[in-house]
Amino acid sequence: MQQQGQDDLITRARAWLAEDPDPETAAELAELIDAGDTAELADRFSGTLQFGTAGLRGEIGAGPMRMNRSVVIRAAAGLAAYLKAQGHAGGLVVIGYDARYKSADFARDTAAVMTGAGLRAAVLPRPLPTPVLAYAIRHLGAVAGVEVTASHNPPRDNGYKVYLGDGSQIVSPADTEIAAEIGRVDTLASVPRPESGWENLGDEVLEAYLARTDAVLTPGSPRGVRTVYTAMHGVGKDVVLAAFARHGFPAPVLVAEQAEPDPAFPTVAFPNPEEPGAMDLSFAKAAEVSPDIVIANDPDADRCAVAVPTLDGWRMLRGDEVGALLAAHLVHKGATGVFAESIVSSSLLGRIAEAAGVGYEETLTGFKWIARVEGLRYGYEEALGYCVDPEGVRDKDGVTAALLVAELASELKEQGRTLTDLLDDLAIEHGLHHTDQLSVRVSDLSVITDAMAALRAHPPVSLAGLRVSSAEDLTQGTATLPPTDGLRYHLEGDYKARVIVRPSGTEPKLKCYLEVVVPVADAPDLVPARARGQEILDAIKKDLSAAAGI
């Protein structure tokens, strides 16, 4: 019986090999077959990469459980069939890509499939930030857009992100309908892929995007902040430099070792500003040139990280801190409309919105939900994502966020103040909203499944000595939120503490988002309040780890 299973595995691998259009992955698969490496083959052929609301994302390699040209061609064919079924035959699909391994190949394959299906396709001229693609969809009147990127994932990964004609990422039921169409694709030979017929765009779309950034800033506002900038080996540098120059900011000092695109990401373990060590080179450059702030993008430049000087060196602000700073700045600029965030982000945004008399809404995790909030003026998520110009880009945008941070820092600098001073003001006005995260990266996804099951079977009754006053299983949905795989706890006590636990949608991680609100009467209370907040969060982490078995 075991031999029969192995023979079937080899047969399926050979069938895949027979139609693999990529010489590299074909050679890789042939080597595995010749070596009889059934364990590796079983892993690659244990199923198919699942197309969901994050599109596709996975490790590059041969087989249906990896990212490769065969998988991308099938995904593109499924998307094309879905668009035609929705009445968009002949519509335009615009395609962007980053500088990761095989991104350009995947973009070209997508253009060929769309053209072969009778749709029109247009490809951005070179690797560019994801927000440029999100902008181009609405600017060009496209019916859909595709961005080939794995954002801040490890170097071995790539991904396939799909947007619809409103310029925002897909949500259910579009994801399941596209997945169903992908499942109907027979052989690759059945998918027409002409050698030409699509449009290769010039710089006009990029110029239009840069012109649109004018809307982010106040005419005549201060522009004097001095910045160190890192592109984290990604595609952000040229666009960020052009945007800063356009608006009269001093040219950022570059972290030279990370300035140019490099799919190997040689200076970081993970190309994500949030990961330990990723900002070390930026801080070294800052120690050398003494800027006012440090700004970092992730590799596809849809996220923006900010660091500030302290007495002990440089400190990277949490996404929740930057989210609050940008909200306060927009309120100061007279912004109206709805401020929105995901449920895993700090409740401080709601307090700022309430005090300013603007709308506020919570959504599920991800900009695919934030971007769909009616009347959205500003949206953010704690994972360094900020939408500061939803009329231009209905997604997180690390370039326009960097501009707005630079404007805010410039205004404060003219007043002899800093971003840290404004954070202190917000803490005194609204309470110190201290947030932290317990994030566990796993090699075996069953660890995440088991942890969620353990918490559901035996919900914690107290964390950090604080009684759990409510425990919600978000798979049931709430009055304001659709169902999602997550757990939310509220804790009793003098401090408003909240915990949310969920599997990451893009990485093999279990993520736990923690918040405690410590009242602050005046400036002298800030230091002890921060110490007390961190003490509570550390205790919650310890108890939550024990309850989840992680």
Side-chain angles (χ1 to χ4, degrees), residues 157-182:
D157 289 0
N158 212 328
Y160 199 80
K161 185 184 291 188
V162 176
Y163 298 77
L164 295 182
D166 63 354
S168 56
Q169 298 174 49
I170 56 169
V171 295
S172 295
D175 57 341
T176 54
E177 292 172 4
I178 294 170
E181 294 289 358
I182 294 171

Side-chain angles (χ1 to χ4, degrees), residues 471-532:
E472 298 171 275
D473 187 341
L474 299 177
T475 55
Q476 308 304 311
T478 72
T480 57
L481 298 171
T484 188
D485 185 9
L487 301 164
R488 180 164 59 181
Y489 308 109
H490 286 94
L491 312 182
E492 283 189 346
D494 294 334
Y495 312 114
K496 296 181 185 299
R498 181 210 67 193
V499 176
I500 295 174
V501 185
R502 59 178 285 273
S504 170
T506 56
E507 296 179 272
K509 283 183 175 181
L510 181 68
K511 290 189 168 184
C512 310
Y513 306 85
L514 322 175
E515 180 179 55
V516 61
V517 183
V518 184
V520 177
D522 50 35
D525 289 342
L526 285 167
V527 171
R530 289 195 175 95
R532 179 58 179 149

Side-chain angles (χ1 to χ4, degrees), residues 84-155:
K84 291 165 73 173
Q86 296 294 311
H88 296 309
L92 174 66
V93 178
V94 61
I95 302 151
Y97 59 102
D98 66 11
R100 284 178 176 265
Y101 294 119
K102 298 196 179 293
S103 286
D105 294 336
F106 295 166
R108 185 186 185 283
D109 283 331
T110 300
V113 171
M114 295 301 160
T115 303
L119 292 147
R120 292 178 295 125
V123 183
L124 294 182
R126 59 185 173 280
L128 287 168
T130 292
V132 177
L133 179 278
Y135 168 81
I137 295 166
R138 300 176 74 199
H139 177 68
L140 296 175
V143 299
V146 171
E147 176 70 13
V148 180
T149 181
S151 190
H152 57 277
N153 273 40

Side-chain angles (χ1 to χ4, degrees), residues 215-236:
V216 176
L217 304 176
T218 300
S221 62
R223 309 285 164 92
V225 72
R226 294 175 301 108
T227 305
V228 160
Y229 170 77
T230 179
M232 204 67 70
H233 298 296
V235 298

